[in-house]
Amino acid sequence: FKEKIFINNDPDFVKVEKNQYALDSLSQAVNQGNFNDAAKVPTALDIRGDSRISNSFPDLGAFERQY
């Protein structure tokens, strides 16, 4: 069981000043989500309609980093 909590850490969004809240490639939130929790979501898609699992684990937040 993998439990990680990010409090007061910069999530490294792409460009906040331009309202681009996707995760940067160096973000600590990439691949830190829980696979079992992501699988419970009926569509298993992020806010853009992309799969929640793009690598080994889902990312934290609304956007899944696409590779």
Side-chain angles (χ1 to χ4, degrees), residues 2-4 6 27-34 57-60:
K2 173 177 150 179
E3 183 73 31
K4 293 191 179 186
F6 293 93
S27 173
Q28 295 178 21
V30 172
N31 292 330
Q32 297 302 315
N34 183 296
F57 288 94
D59 298 339
L60 298 178

Side-chain angles (χ1 to χ4, degrees), residues 5-59:
I5 300 173
F6 293 93
I7 300 175
N8 297 325
N9 286 346
D10 183 354
D12 293 320
F13 294 128
V14 174
K15 288 185 182 178
V16 174
E17 66 279 1
K18 295 193 181 243
N19 297 323
Q20 295 178 1
Y21 293 102
L23 297 175
D24 183 74
S25 61
L26 300 176
S27 173
Q28 295 178 21
V30 172
N31 292 330
Q32 297 302 315
N34 183 296
F35 182 79
N36 293 324
D37 289 340
K40 293 177 187 175
V41 178
T43 61
L45 301 175
D46 72 1
I47 198 167
R48 292 180 294 214
D50 294 326
S51 173
R52 289 297 302 168
I53 314 296
S54 164
N55 204 2
S56 54
F57 288 94
D59 298 339

